[in-house]
Coordinates of all heavy atoms in Angstrom, one line a residue:
M28 N -3.9 -41.6 -24.3 CA -3.3 -40.4 -23.8 C -3.3 -40.4 -22.3 O -4.2 -40.8 -21.7 CB -4.2 -39.2 -24.3 CG -3.6 -37.9 -23.8 SD -4.6 -36.4 -24.0 CE -4.6 -36.1 -25.7
A29 N -2.1 -40.0 -21.8 CA -1.9 -40.0 -20.4 C -2.7 -38.8 -19.7 O -2.7 -37.7 -20.3 CB -0.5 -39.9 -20.1
F30 N -3.3 -39.1 -18.6 CA -4.0 -38.0 -17.9 C -3.0 -37.2 -17.0 O -2.0 -37.8 -16.5 CB -5.1 -38.6 -17.0 CG -6.2 -39.2 -17.8 CD1 -6.3 -40.6 -18.0 CD2 -7.1 -38.4 -18.4 CE1 -7.3 -41.1 -18.7 CE2 -8.1 -39.0 -19.2 CZ -8.2 -40.3 -19.3
G31 N -3.2 -35.9 -16.9 CA -2.3 -35.1 -16.1 C -1.2 -34.5 -16.9 O -0.4 -33.7 -16.3
F32 N -0.9 -34.9 -18.1 CA 0.2 -34.4 -18.9 C -0.4 -33.6 -20.1 O -1.3 -34.1 -20.7 CB 1.1 -35.6 -19.4 CG 1.7 -36.3 -18.3 CD1 1.2 -37.6 -17.9 CD2 2.8 -35.8 -17.6 CE1 1.8 -38.3 -16.8 CE2 3.4 -36.5 -16.6 CZ 2.9 -37.7 -16.2
G33 N 0.3 -32.5 -20.4 CA -0.1 -31.7 -21.5 C 0.3 -32.3 -22.8 O 1.1 -33.3 -22.9
F34 N -0.3 -31.8 -23.9 CA 0.0 -32.2 -25.2 C 1.4 -31.8 -25.6 O 1.8 -30.6 -25.4 CB -1.0 -31.6 -26.2 CG -0.8 -31.9 -27.6 CD1 -1.0 -33.2 -28.1 CD2 -0.3 -31.0 -28.5 CE1 -0.7 -33.5 -29.5 CE2 0.0 -31.2 -29.8 CZ -0.2 -32.5 -30.3
N35 N 2.2 -32.6 -26.2 CA 3.5 -32.3 -26.6 C 3.5 -32.1 -28.1 O 3.6 -33.0 -28.9 CB 4.5 -33.4 -26.2 CG 6.0 -33.0 -26.4 OD1 6.3 -32.2 -27.3 ND2 6.8 -33.6 -25.7
K36 N 3.4 -30.9 -28.5 CA 3.3 -30.5 -29.9 C 4.6 -30.9 -30.7 O 4.4 -31.5 -31.8 CB 3.1 -29.0 -30.1 CG 3.0 -28.5 -31.5 CD 2.7 -27.0 -31.5 CE 2.6 -26.5 -32.9 NZ 2.3 -25.1 -33.0
Q37 N 5.7 -30.7 -30.1 CA 7.0 -31.1 -30.8 C 7.1 -32.6 -31.1 O 7.5 -33.0 -32.1 CB 8.2 -30.6 -30.1 CG 9.4 -30.6 -30.9 CD 9.4 -29.8 -32.2 OE1 9.0 -28.7 -32.2 NE2 9.7 -30.5 -33.3
K38 N 6.6 -33.3 -30.1 CA 6.7 -34.8 -30.2 C 5.7 -35.2 -31.4 O 6.1 -36.1 -32.2 CB 6.2 -35.5 -28.9 CG 6.4 -37.0 -28.9 CD 6.0 -37.5 -27.6 CE 6.1 -39.1 -27.6 NZ 5.7 -39.6 -26.3
A39 N 4.6 -34.6 -31.5 CA 3.6 -35.0 -32.5 C 4.2 -34.5 -33.9 O 4.0 -35.3 -34.9 CB 2.3 -34.3 -32.3
L40 N 4.8 -33.4 -34.0 CA 5.4 -32.9 -35.2 C 6.5 -33.8 -35.7 O 6.6 -34.2 -36.8 CB 5.9 -31.5 -35.1 CG 4.8 -30.4 -35.0 CD1 5.5 -29.1 -34.6 CD2 4.0 -30.3 -36.2
N41 N 7.3 -34.3 -34.7 CA 8.4 -35.2 -35.0 C 7.9 -36.5 -35.5 O 8.4 -37.1 -36.5 CB 9.3 -35.4 -33.8 CG 10.1 -34.2 -33.5 OD1 10.3 -33.3 -34.3 ND2 10.6 -34.2 -32.2
A42 N 6.9 -37.0 -34.9 CA 6.3 -38.3 -35.3 C 5.7 -38.1 -36.7 O 5.8 -39.0 -37.6 CB 5.2 -38.7 -34.3
A43 N 5.0 -37.0 -37.0 CA 4.4 -36.8 -38.3 C 5.5 -36.8 -39.4 O 5.3 -37.4 -40.4 CB 3.6 -35.5 -38.3
E44 N 6.6 -36.1 -39.1 CA 7.6 -36.0 -40.1 C 8.2 -37.4 -40.3 O 8.6 -37.7 -41.5 CB 8.7 -35.0 -39.6 CG 9.8 -34.8 -40.6 CD 9.4 -34.3 -42.0 OE1 8.4 -33.5 -42.0 OE2 10.0 -34.7 -43.0
K45 N 8.4 -38.1 -39.3 CA 8.9 -39.5 -39.5 C 8.0 -40.3 -40.4 O 8.4 -41.1 -41.2 CB 9.0 -40.2 -38.1 CG 9.8 -41.4 -38.1 CD 10.0 -41.9 -36.7 CE 11.3 -42.4 -36.5 NZ 11.6 -42.9 -35.1
Y46 N 6.7 -40.2 -40.2 CA 5.7 -40.9 -41.0 C 5.8 -40.5 -42.5 O 5.7 -41.3 -43.4 CB 4.3 -40.7 -40.5 CG 4.0 -41.5 -39.3 CD1 3.3 -40.9 -38.2 CD2 4.2 -42.9 -39.2 CE1 3.0 -41.7 -37.0 CE2 3.9 -43.6 -38.1 CZ 3.3 -43.0 -37.0 OH 3.0 -43.8 -35.9
V47 N 6.0 -39.2 -42.7 CA 6.1 -38.7 -44.0 C 7.4 -39.3 -44.7 O 7.3 -39.8 -45.8 CB 6.2 -37.1 -44.1 CG1 6.6 -36.6 -45.4 CG2 4.9 -36.5 -43.6
Q48 N 8.5 -39.3 -44.0 CA 9.7 -39.9 -44.5 C 9.5 -41.4 -44.8 O 10.2 -41.9 -45.8 CB 10.9 -39.7 -43.5 CG 11.3 -38.3 -43.4 CD 12.3 -38.1 -42.3 OE1 12.7 -39.0 -41.6 NE2 12.8 -36.8 -42.2
Q49 N 8.7 -42.1 -44.1 CA 8.4 -43.5 -44.3 C 7.4 -43.7 -45.4 O 7.1 -44.8 -45.8 CB 8.0 -44.2 -43.0 CG 9.0 -44.2 -42.0 CD 8.5 -44.7 -40.6 OE1 7.3 -44.8 -40.4 NE2 9.4 -44.9 -39.7
G50 N 6.7 -42.6 -45.9 CA 5.7 -42.7 -46.9 C 4.3 -43.1 -46.3 O 3.4 -43.4 -47.1
K51 N 4.2 -43.0 -45.0 CA 2.9 -43.3 -44.4 C 2.1 -42.0 -44.2 O 2.0 -41.4 -43.1 CB 3.2 -44.0 -43.0 CG 3.9 -45.3 -43.1 CD 4.2 -45.9 -41.8 CE 4.9 -47.2 -41.9 NZ 5.3 -47.8 -40.6
M52 N 1.5 -41.5 -45.3 CA 0.9 -40.2 -45.3 C -0.4 -40.2 -44.4 O -0.6 -39.2 -43.7 CB 0.5 -39.8 -46.7 CG 1.6 -39.8 -47.7 SD 3.0 -38.7 -47.1 CE 4.3 -39.2 -48.2
Q53 N -1.2 -41.2 -44.3 CA -2.4 -41.2 -43.5 C -2.0 -41.1 -42.0 O -2.6 -40.4 -41.3 CB -3.2 -42.5 -43.7 CG -3.9 -42.5 -45.0 CD -5.0 -41.5 -45.1 OE1 -5.4 -40.8 -44.2 NE2 -5.5 -41.3 -46.3
N54 N -0.9 -41.8 -41.6 CA -0.5 -41.7 -40.2 C 0.1 -40.3 -39.9 O -0.2 -39.7 -38.9 CB 0.6 -42.7 -39.9 CG 0.2 -44.1 -40.0 OD1 -0.8 -44.4 -40.7 ND2 0.8 -45.0 -39.3
A55 N 0.8 -39.7 -40.9 CA 1.3 -38.3 -40.7 C 0.1 -37.3 -40.6 O 0.2 -36.5 -39.7 CB 2.2 -38.0 -41.9
I56 N -0.9 -37.5 -41.4 CA -2.1 -36.6 -41.4 C -2.7 -36.7 -40.0 O -3.1 -35.7 -39.4 CB -3.1 -37.0 -42.5 CG1 -2.5 -36.5 -43.8 CG2 -4.4 -36.3 -42.2 CD1 -3.3 -37.0 -45.0
A57 N -2.8 -37.9 -39.5 CA -3.4 -38.1 -38.1 C -2.6 -37.4 -37.1 O -3.2 -36.7 -36.2 CB -3.5 -39.6 -37.8
E58 N -1.3 -37.4 -37.2 CA -0.5 -36.7 -36.2 C -0.6 -35.2 -36.3 O -0.8 -34.5 -35.4 CB 1.0 -37.1 -36.3 CG 1.3 -38.5 -35.9 CD 1.1 -38.7 -34.4 OE1 1.4 -37.8 -33.6 OE2 0.6 -39.8 -34.0
Y59 N -0.6 -34.7 -37.6 CA -0.8 -33.3 -37.8 C -2.2 -32.8 -37.3 O -2.3 -31.7 -36.8 CB -0.6 -33.0 -39.3 CG 0.9 -32.9 -39.7 CD1 1.3 -33.6 -40.8 CD2 1.8 -32.2 -39.0 CE1 2.7 -33.6 -41.2 CE2 3.1 -32.1 -39.4 CZ 3.6 -32.8 -40.5 OH 4.9 -32.8 -40.9
E60 N -3.2 -33.7 -37.5 CA -4.5 -33.3 -37.0 C -4.6 -33.2 -35.5 O -5.3 -32.3 -35.0 CB -5.6 -34.3 -37.5 CG -5.8 -34.0 -39.0 CD -6.8 -35.0 -39.6 OE1 -7.1 -36.1 -39.0 OE2 -7.3 -34.7 -40.7
K61 N -3.8 -33.9 -34.8 CA -3.7 -33.8 -33.3 C -3.1 -32.4 -33.0 O -3.5 -31.8 -32.1 CB -2.8 -34.9 -32.7 CG -3.3 -36.2 -32.8 CD -2.3 -37.2 -32.2 CE -2.7 -38.7 -32.4 NZ -1.7 -39.6 -32.0
V62 N -2.1 -32.0 -33.8 CA -1.5 -30.7 -33.6 C -2.5 -29.6 -33.8 O -2.7 -28.6 -33.0 CB -0.3 -30.4 -34.5 CG1 0.3 -29.0 -34.4 CG2 0.8 -31.5 -34.1
I63 N -3.3 -29.7 -34.9 CA -4.3 -28.7 -35.2 C -5.4 -28.6 -34.1 O -5.9 -27.6 -33.8 CB -5.0 -28.9 -36.6 CG1 -3.9 -28.7 -37.7 CG2 -6.2 -28.1 -36.8 CD1 -3.4 -27.2 -37.7
K64 N -5.7 -29.8 -33.6 CA -6.7 -29.8 -32.5 C -6.2 -29.0 -31.3 O -7.0 -28.3 -30.6 CB -7.0 -31.3 -32.1 CG -8.1 -31.4 -31.1 CD -8.5 -32.8 -30.9 CE -9.6 -32.9 -29.8 NZ -10.0 -34.3 -29.5
A65 N -4.9 -29.2 -31.0 CA -4.3 -28.5 -29.8 C -4.0 -27.0 -30.1 O -4.0 -26.2 -29.2 CB -3.1 -29.2 -29.4
D66 N -3.7 -26.7 -31.4 CA -3.3 -25.4 -31.8 C -3.9 -25.0 -33.1 O -3.3 -25.0 -34.2 CB -1.8 -25.3 -31.9 CG -1.2 -23.9 -32.2 OD1 -2.0 -23.0 -32.2 OD2 0.0 -23.8 -32.4
P67 N -5.2 -24.6 -33.1 CA -5.9 -24.4 -34.3 C -5.4 -23.2 -35.2 O -5.7 -23.1 -36.3 CB -7.4 -24.0 -33.9 CG -7.4 -24.4 -32.4 CD -6.0 -24.5 -31.9
K68 N -4.6 -22.4 -34.6 CA -4.0 -21.2 -35.3 C -2.8 -21.5 -36.1 O -2.2 -20.7 -36.8 CB -3.8 -20.1 -34.4 CG -5.0 -19.5 -33.7 CD -4.8 -18.4 -32.8 CE -6.1 -17.8 -32.3 NZ -5.8 -16.7 -31.4
D69 N -2.3 -22.8 -36.0 CA -1.1 -23.2 -36.7 C -1.4 -23.4 -38.2 O -1.7 -24.5 -38.6 CB -0.5 -24.4 -36.1 CG 1.0 -24.7 -36.5 OD1 1.3 -24.3 -37.7 OD2 1.7 -25.2 -35.8
L70 N -1.2 -22.3 -39.0 CA -1.5 -22.4 -40.4 C -0.5 -23.2 -41.2 O -0.9 -23.8 -42.2 CB -1.7 -21.0 -41.0 CG -2.8 -20.1 -40.4 CD1 -2.8 -18.8 -41.0 CD2 -4.1 -20.8 -40.6
T71 N 0.7 -23.3 -40.7 CA 1.7 -24.1 -41.4 C 1.3 -25.6 -41.4 O 1.4 -26.3 -42.4 CB 3.1 -23.9 -40.7 OG1 3.4 -22.5 -40.8 CG2 4.1 -24.8 -41.4
V72 N 0.8 -26.0 -40.3 CA 0.4 -27.4 -40.2 C -0.9 -27.7 -41.0 O -1.0 -28.7 -41.7 CB 0.2 -27.9 -38.7 CG1 -0.4 -29.3 -38.6 CG2 1.5 -27.8 -38.0
T73 N -1.8 -26.7 -41.0 CA -3.0 -26.9 -41.8 C -2.6 -27.0 -43.3 O -3.1 -27.8 -44.0 CB -3.9 -25.6 -41.6 OG1 -4.3 -25.5 -40.2 CG2 -5.2 -25.8 -42.4
N74 N -1.7 -26.2 -43.7 CA -1.2 -26.2 -45.1 C -0.5 -27.6 -45.4 O -0.7 -28.1 -46.5 CB -0.2 -25.1 -45.4 CG 0.1 -24.9 -46.8 OD1 -0.7 -25.0 -47.7 ND2 1.4 -24.8 -47.1
T75 N 0.3 -28.0 -44.5 CA 0.9 -29.3 -44.6 C 0.0 -30.5 -44.8 O 0.2 -31.4 -45.6 CB 1.9 -29.6 -43.4 OG1 2.8 -28.5 -43.3 CG2 2.6 -30.9 -43.6
I76 N -1.1 -30.4 -44.0 CA -2.1 -31.5 -44.2 C -2.7 -31.4 -45.6 O -2.9 -32.5 -46.2 CB -3.3 -31.3 -43.1 CG1 -2.7 -31.5 -41.7 CG2 -4.4 -32.2 -43.4 CD1 -3.7 -31.2 -40.6
G77 N -3.0 -30.3 -46.1 CA -3.5 -30.1 -47.4 C -2.5 -30.7 -48.5 O -2.9 -31.4 -49.4
D78 N -1.3 -30.4 -48.3 CA -0.2 -30.9 -49.2 C -0.2 -32.4 -49.1 O 0.0 -33.1 -50.2 CB 1.2 -30.4 -48.8 CG 1.3 -28.9 -49.1 OD1 0.5 -28.3 -49.8 OD2 2.3 -28.3 -48.5
L79 N -0.3 -33.0 -48.0 CA -0.3 -34.5 -47.9 C -1.5 -35.1 -48.6 O -1.4 -36.1 -49.2 CB -0.2 -34.9 -46.4 CG 1.1 -34.6 -45.7 CD1 1.0 -35.0 -44.2 CD2 2.3 -35.3 -46.4
Y80 N -2.7 -34.5 -48.4 CA -3.8 -35.0 -49.1 C -3.6 -34.9 -50.7 O -4.0 -35.8 -51.4 CB -5.1 -34.2 -48.7 CG -5.8 -34.7 -47.5 CD1 -6.0 -33.9 -46.4 CD2 -6.1 -36.1 -47.3 CE1 -6.6 -34.3 -45.2 CE2 -6.7 -36.5 -46.2 CZ -7.0 -35.7 -45.2 OH -7.6 -36.1 -44.0
C81 N -2.9 -33.8 -51.1 CA -2.6 -33.7 -52.5 C -1.7 -34.9 -53.0 O -1.9 -35.5 -54.0 CB -1.9 -32.4 -52.8 SG -3.1 -31.0 -53.0
R82 N -0.7 -35.2 -52.2 CA 0.2 -36.3 -52.5 C -0.6 -37.6 -52.6 O -0.2 -38.5 -53.4 CB 1.2 -36.5 -51.4 CG 2.3 -35.5 -51.4 CD 3.4 -35.9 -50.4 NE 4.4 -34.8 -50.2 CZ 5.4 -35.0 -49.4 NH1 5.6 -36.1 -48.8 NH2 6.2 -34.0 -49.2
L83 N -1.7 -37.7 -51.8 CA -2.5 -39.0 -51.8 C -3.5 -38.9 -53.0 O -4.2 -39.9 -53.2 CB -3.2 -39.1 -50.5 CG -2.4 -39.4 -49.3 CD1 -3.2 -39.4 -48.0 CD2 -1.7 -40.8 -49.4
G84 N -3.5 -37.8 -53.7 CA -4.5 -37.7 -54.8 C -5.9 -37.3 -54.4 O -6.8 -37.5 -55.2
D85 N -6.1 -36.8 -53.2 CA -7.4 -36.5 -52.7 C -7.5 -34.9 -52.7 O -7.4 -34.3 -51.7 CB -7.6 -37.0 -51.4 CG -9.1 -37.0 -50.9 OD1 -9.9 -36.3 -51.5 OD2 -9.4 -37.8 -50.0
A86 N -7.8 -34.3 -53.9 CA -7.8 -32.9 -54.0 C -9.0 -32.3 -53.3 O -8.9 -31.2 -52.7 CB -7.9 -32.5 -55.5
D87 N -10.1 -33.0 -53.1 CA -11.3 -32.5 -52.4 C -10.9 -32.3 -50.9 O -11.2 -31.2 -50.4 CB -12.5 -33.5 -52.5 CG -13.1 -33.5 -53.9 OD1 -12.9 -32.5 -54.6 OD2 -13.7 -34.5 -54.3
K88 N -10.3 -33.3 -50.3 CA -9.9 -33.1 -48.9 C -8.8 -32.0 -48.8 O -8.8 -31.3 -47.8 CB -9.5 -34.4 -48.3 CG -10.6 -35.3 -48.0 CD -10.1 -36.5 -47.2 CE -11.2 -37.5 -46.8 NZ -10.8 -38.6 -46.1
A89 N -7.9 -32.0 -49.8 CA -6.8 -31.0 -49.7 C -7.3 -29.6 -49.7 O -6.8 -28.7 -49.0 CB -5.9 -31.2 -50.9
T90 N -8.4 -29.3 -50.4 CA -8.9 -28.0 -50.5 C -9.9 -27.7 -49.4 O -10.3 -26.5 -49.3 CB -9.6 -27.7 -51.9 OG1 -10.6 -28.7 -52.1 CG2 -8.6 -27.8 -53.0
T91 N -10.3 -28.6 -48.6 CA -11.3 -28.4 -47.6 C -10.8 -28.7 -46.2 O -11.5 -28.8 -45.2 CB -12.6 -29.3 -47.8 OG1 -12.2 -30.6 -47.7 CG2 -13.3 -28.9 -49.1
V92 N -9.5 -28.7 -46.0 CA -8.9 -28.9 -44.7 C -9.2 -27.7 -43.9 O -9.1 -26.5 -44.3 CB -7.3 -29.0 -44.8 CG1 -6.7 -29.0 -43.4 CG2 -6.9 -30.3 -45.6
S93 N -9.8 -27.9 -42.7 CA -10.2 -26.8 -41.9 C -9.7 -27.0 -40.5 O -9.4 -28.2 -40.1 CB -11.7 -26.7 -41.9 OG -12.3 -27.8 -41.4
R94 N -9.7 -26.0 -39.7 CA -9.4 -26.1 -38.3 C -10.6 -26.3 -37.5 O -11.7 -25.9 -37.9 CB -8.7 -24.8 -37.9 CG -7.4 -24.5 -38.7 CD -6.9 -23.2 -38.4 NE -7.9 -22.2 -39.1 CZ -7.7 -21.0 -39.3 NH1 -6.6 -20.5 -39.0 NH2 -8.6 -20.3 -39.9
P95 N -10.4 -27.0 -36.4 CA -11.6 -27.3 -35.5 C -12.2 -26.1 -34.9 O -11.6 -25.1 -34.8 CB -11.0 -28.2 -34.4 CG -9.5 -28.3 -34.6 CD -9.2 -27.6 -35.9

């Protein structure tokens, strides 16, 4: 991460969506978790992470996704 520059939420969301389209769910989850770390009140992203865990067949993680 570059010092002196703020977090670019839109860039992270775009990267996450690209990973989803490529079927790289773990990478997408990692990008979405960066968004949640920067914006813990973004419930849409929290829900999306849960959905991705469901797609991976990990119901336990899907139901326990939490904000930092």
Side-chain angles (χ1 to χ4, degrees):
M28 180 193 283
F30 293 101
F32 297 101
F34 176 75
N35 187 334
K36 181 177 178 179
Q37 192 58 50
K38 185 176 178 180
L40 289 171
N41 290 341
E44 183 59 34
K45 191 176 222 179
Y46 284 131
V47 169
Q48 291 172 357
Q49 294 171 350
K51 298 178 180 179
M52 301 307 165
Q53 289 292 351
N54 294 28
I56 290 169
E58 288 296 321
Y59 283 128
E60 285 178 344
K61 290 178 189 176
V62 173
I63 291 300
K64 185 175 181 183
D66 185 5
K68 293 183 180 181
D69 193 329
L70 297 178
T71 301
V72 173
T73 302
N74 188 47
T75 302
I76 293 170
D78 291 345
L79 292 176
Y80 277 123
C81 279
R82 285 190 192 182
L83 292 173
D85 195 342
D87 290 336
K88 283 188 179 179
T90 59
T91 60
V92 173
S93 64
R94 296 169 294 195

